Amino acid sequence: MIERSQFEMAYLSRQERARQRLQEDGVDALLVTLGRELPWLIGYEAMPLERITCLYMDANGAVRLIIPKLEAPRVRPLPGLELVPWTDGEDPFVLLGSMISDAKVIAIDDRCMAGWLLPLMGHATRASFRSGTSLLNPLRRQKDALEIEMLELAASAADRVAERLNRGEIPVALRQERDVAREIGEALCEEGHAKVNFTIVGSGPNSASPHHGPTTRIISHGDALVLDFGGTYSVGEEPGYCSDMTRTFVVGEAPEGFDGLYEVLLNAQTYARENIRVGMSGNEADQVARKVIVDSGFGEYFVHRLGHGIGLDEHEDPYLSSDNPALLEAGTTFSIEPGIYIPGRYGARIEDIVYLDDDGVRSLNQAERELIVL
């Protein structure tokens, strides 16, 4: 079991790395409101309400959380973290303004609401503002040991749900897509997830829609079935890390031509897991799998990128896409999820979350990838 002390050490280490980044980039103050940078830095998730919660950090070591007084009891103590509660009737922007009034360069998270940013800018008229999310992304991309452990726990829990499906413990035939989606979500929670983030259940022609929302369609004999699901896995009261996996099945028997399509897809996904390396660009990594699919004649039916980063967010840096020249670094985690979708007929996708180091890719998901008949 991961102890609270391990999380505390991780938060303090991340703060120090962020502080060094502020110094290197000449940033006087960092402000974090609703972004995932907040739980990454201090282990606290702000409620997305009209009352502002804002973490203030500067290059000199100050770490202050400006927070509505009624929410302050939710914040667990952390060495060096100063709470600055404010009450209804008090202007929190005056409090923040006193901290940033002399700043020349301020970084603020991308998810800060305009209704908060504009008053802050009014209190720092001599400052230039830049993206705090972009400032911290290079740090967040490279996962520390605790983050890898959390992602492994999340992936293993999702694998156990996939294994239930493989064994037929979650029946699919002659049931509505939305009922199967609900049961998959329940299984995710039973296997340790704190919450369900999504469950995609696409059967028959709906399997050709990559982000299909489950409907009342009855899953029938001869259907292809794409199941994509994920949630947030937490330990104690700490912020949770995300799972995200996809497996494709057939019900009763494969429709005509589907076995060949699936063989191409499995080859592409396997080849990507075996050949993506540190130093490749996001574009090059995407092409590793895409070339297999294109050379097999299905190129026009692979309609999305190969993968996305994952951590506290379901989708974060790095992105394995044709328009991303950024190089993949050791310590990053991302999905490898090629798909082939024939409109009006059927589709298929295989998705694993992987960890990249100097030796290559290590898959955090281990559930069966071969086509399974349910």
Side-chain angles (χ1 to χ4, degrees):
M1 183 66 176
I2 306 175
E3 302 292 336
R4 166 65 179 170
S5 60
Q6 293 173 260
F7 284 97
E8 288 187 352
M9 291 174 60
Y11 300 141
L12 295 176
S13 174
R14 295 168 197 170
Q15 288 175 26
E16 180 57 30
R17 291 166 60 202
R19 190 174 298 115
Q20 291 174 4
R21 187 67 191 270
L22 295 180
Q23 294 170 349
E24 292 166 1
D25 283 29
V27 175
D28 299 308
L30 170 68
L31 303 178
V32 179
T33 58
L34 297 177
R36 299 302 288 172
E37 298 85 5
L38 185 61
W40 185 76
L41 285 164
I42 65 170
Y44 176 72
E45 298 185 77
M47 298 182 71
L49 303 175
E50 71 281 3
R51 297 181 178 94
I52 187 172
T53 294
C54 181
L55 179 70
Y56 167 91
M57 289 185 62
D58 64 31
N60 297 319
V63 184
R64 303 179 188 128
L65 186 65
I66 294 80
I67 186 169
K69 190 171 184 177
L70 77 167
E71 294 175 28
R74 297 178 56 238
V75 183
R76 284 165 299 150
L78 186 66
L81 176 63
E82 177 188 354
L83 289 190
V84 185
W86 62 275
T87 60
D88 288 348
E90 186 178 8
D91 188 345
F93 299 103
V94 173
L95 282 174
L96 279 162
S98 67
M99 300 176 197
I100 63 174
S101 59
D102 294 329
K104 294 181 180 179
V105 181
I106 298 171
I108 191 163
D109 68 280
D110 290 358
R111 296 185 186 179
C112 178
M113 295 190 291
W116 297 347
L117 176 59
L118 294 175
L120 288 170
M121 293 176 71
H123 285 281
T125 55
R126 293 182 295 176
S128 62
F129 283 75
R130 58 170 291 185
S131 168
T133 298
S134 298
L135 181 83
L136 295 180
N137 267 350
L139 306 182
R140 289 189 60 210
R141 273 199 303 268
Q142 293 184 295
K143 302 296 188 277
D144 57 41
L146 181 61
E147 292 182 291
I148 297 301
E149 188 170 358
M150 289 295 297
L151 286 164
E152 287 176 332
L153 290 170
S156 294
D159 275 350
R160 293 193 293 274
V161 176
E163 289 160 4
R164 288 197 199 186
L165 287 158
N166 296 349
R167 294 191 297 264
E169 295 174 11
I170 301 175
V172 299
L174 303 180
R175 300 182 68 195
Q176 293 183 6
E177 292 175 341
R178 65 182 183 182
D179 291 334
V180 174
R182 183 185 65 251
E183 193 163 340
I184 290 173
E186 291 170 353
L188 280 169
C189 293
E190 289 167 2
E191 295 295 347
H193 284 72
K195 65 177 182 178
V196 179
N197 295 336
F198 60 90
T199 51
I200 294 172
V201 177
S203 63
N206 292 340
S207 64
S209 174
H211 283 176
H212 174 70
T215 68
T216 58
R217 185 184 187 278
I218 301 295
I219 302 169
S220 304
H221 184 88
D223 278 349
L225 181 64
V226 174
L227 303 179
D228 183 352
F229 48 88
T232 300
Y233 190 98
S234 301
V235 170
E237 299 176 61
E238 306 301 333
Y241 281 74
C242 295
S243 65
D244 185 359
M245 71 177 302
T246 309
R247 292 295 185 264
T248 298
F249 306 83
V250 293
V251 181
E253 62 180 348
E256 183 180 356
F258 191 79
D259 284 332
L261 177 152
Y262 193 83
E263 182 180 1
V264 170
L265 182 67
L266 180 59
N267 288 341
Q269 209 260 358
T270 302
Y271 191 72
R273 284 189 290 107
E274 292 177 348
N275 289 279
I276 289 176
R277 292 289 185 270
V278 170
M280 279 186 175
S281 67
N283 172 51
E284 289 170 332
D286 177 90
Q287 290 301 315
V288 168
R290 192 172 301 276
K291 187 176 187 303
V292 176
I293 294 173
V294 169
D295 289 350
S296 298
F298 290 103
E300 66 180 294
Y301 303 115
F302 181 12
V303 297
H304 54 72
R305 65 195 174 203
L306 178 62
H308 58 82
I310 191 169
L312 286 166
D313 281 316
E314 297 165 25
H315 288 192
E316 58 182 49
D317 277 352
Y319 294 98
L320 281 60
S321 62
S322 59
D323 60 349
N324 183 13
L327 303 184
L328 297 177
E329 304 161 298
T332 52
T333 51
F334 48 84
S335 66
I336 295 180
E337 51 176 310
I340 301 174
Y341 313 94
I342 313 296
R345 296 184 65 192
Y346 44 60
R349 181 166 65 255
I350 306 169
E351 176 182 18
D352 290 320
I353 299 303
V354 305
Y355 170 65
L356 179 66
D357 63 18
D358 290 329
D359 295 324
V361 159
R362 174 169 65 89
S363 181
L364 304 187
N365 290 110
Q366 299 297 329
E368 180 62 62
R369 300 179 187 90
E370 295 288 340
L371 185 62
I372 290 177
V373 179
L374 297 174

